[in-house]
């Protein structure tokens, strides 16, 4: 089912709060999907505010940018509770939808979701649910019980070039074990389950 069909089926209006999550590995098109949904909502006459974590400075500090170079103006925050003070009360009330990119970096996701219920806001999150170890990334998975819909994307495996890639693997720097390490294709690649497991077994062999 397409997102537009799903949205129409929900009979979206300003009187309904909603929460939607777009997730998947790096390079799977999460930001592209987010911006496509933003365009669809704006075509319906709804007011959308685009937000991202200030941790994402790879391409721009004040734009949401896809890996293909498509961009939209946004503002960056360290926490989502900064949005209202940044916008001001009048603009906050005017906004129908918040589109939030790189959500895994934001620490107060579930708390912000209360706005969907109490103030009838629609929130669309895009972000990584797992890190390069396949462990939970930030608070993104805490959104699952709160979501109206969850859309998981995949990419093409950079290792075998055959199977769909559902995981992210860090390729550089090899000695960096911190969960958060901002980077692009020079730092990460997407891999399928088989190639992910094979690479980890090979790493263990090298250690021995």
């Amino acid at each position: 089912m397409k997102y537009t069909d799903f949205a129409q089926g929900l009979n979206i209006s300003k009187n309904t709060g909603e929460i939607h999550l777009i997730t998947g590995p790096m390079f799977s098109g999460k930001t592209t999907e987010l911006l496509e949904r933003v365009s669809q909502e704006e075509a319906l006459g709804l007011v959308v505010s685009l937000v991202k974590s200030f941790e994402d400075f790879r391409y721009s500090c004040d734009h949401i940018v896809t890996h293909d170079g498509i961009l939209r103006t946004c503002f960056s925050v360290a926490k989502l509770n900064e949005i209202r003070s940044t916008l001001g009360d009048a603009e906050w009330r005017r906004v129908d939808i918040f589109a939030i990119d790189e959500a895994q970096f934001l620490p107060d996701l579930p708390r912000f979701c209360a706005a969907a219920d109490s103030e009838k806001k629609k929130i669309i999150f895009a972000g990584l649910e797992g890190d390069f170890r396949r462990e939970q990334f930030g608070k993104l998975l805490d959104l699952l019980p709160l979501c109206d819909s969850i859309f998981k994307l995949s990419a093409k495996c950079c290792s075998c070039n055959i199977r769909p890639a559902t995981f992210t693997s860090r390729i550089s720097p090899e000695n960096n074990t911190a969960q958060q390490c901002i980077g692009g294709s020079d730092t990460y690649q997407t891999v399928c389950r088989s190639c992910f497991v094979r690479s980890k077994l090979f790493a263990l062999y090298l250690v021995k």
Side-chain angles (χ1 to χ4, degrees):
M1 177 184 292
K2 292 183 178 180
Y3 169 74
T4 48
D5 297 333
F6 177 80
Q8 290 172 0
L10 288 176
N11 190 25
I12 291 174
S13 72
K14 291 186 178 182
N15 297 320
T16 304
E18 299 171 28
I19 299 169
H20 301 280
L21 174 61
I22 304 164
T23 189
M26 292 186 67
F27 316 118
S28 60
K30 298 183 297 298
T31 301
T32 299
E33 174 70 18
L34 179 69
L35 295 185
E36 287 178 355
R37 295 192 187 192
V38 167
S39 296
Q40 292 166 8
E41 301 290 6
E42 290 174 334
L44 295 173
L46 298 174
V47 178
V48 184
S49 180
L50 288 87
V51 186
K52 72 172 183 177
S53 166
F54 83 106
E55 299 281 1
D56 179 28
F57 49 81
R58 289 169 298 174
Y59 302 114
S60 170
C61 293
D62 54 5
H63 290 85
I64 290 176
V65 187
T66 70
H67 294 296
D68 297 327
I70 300 170
L71 55 83
R72 287 287 304 268
T73 301
C74 72
F75 63 92
S76 302
V77 295
K79 295 182 178 181
L80 293 175
N81 65 9
E82 299 172 5
I83 291 178
R84 187 162 193 158
S85 60
T86 301
L87 291 176
D89 286 340
E91 183 65 12
W92 169 272
R93 289 191 294 270
R94 195 176 75 88
V95 171
D96 301 305
I97 301 165
F98 290 101
I100 300 169
D101 199 26
E102 302 295 345
Q104 72 275 1
F105 294 134
L106 296 161
D108 54 343
L109 301 178
R111 181 176 298 179
F112 185 72
C113 287
D117 295 325
S118 64
E119 302 198 41
K120 312 303 181 185
K121 301 295 185 183
K122 180 175 181 178
I123 310 169
I124 309 174
F125 293 100
L128 293 165
E129 86 281 18
D131 64 9
F132 68 102
R133 297 190 188 94
R134 298 193 301 185
E135 296 177 356
Q136 178 174 340
F137 203 140
K139 300 291 186 180
L140 197 80
L141 290 180
D142 292 346
L143 294 174
L144 266 61
L146 307 174
C147 287
D148 293 273
S149 74
I150 301 164
F151 186 48
K152 182 161 183 176
L153 294 160
S154 62
K156 187 174 183 179
C157 181
C158 293
S159 183
C160 67
N161 290 311
I162 298 173
R163 289 177 288 269
T166 50
F167 306 112
T168 302
S169 177
R170 183 179 292 172
I171 55 178
S172 175
E174 295 179 357
N175 61 345
N176 188 342
T177 59
Q179 182 177 66
Q180 186 172 318
C181 177
I182 306 298
S185 57
D186 59 331
T187 308
Y188 297 97
Q189 65 178 5
T190 53
V191 291
C192 65
R193 180 178 297 275
S194 177
C195 291
F196 183 93
V197 172
R198 186 183 300 114
S199 68
K200 298 309 171 187
L201 291 175
F202 182 67
L204 289 173
Y205 172 78
L206 291 179
V207 171
K208 293 179 180 180

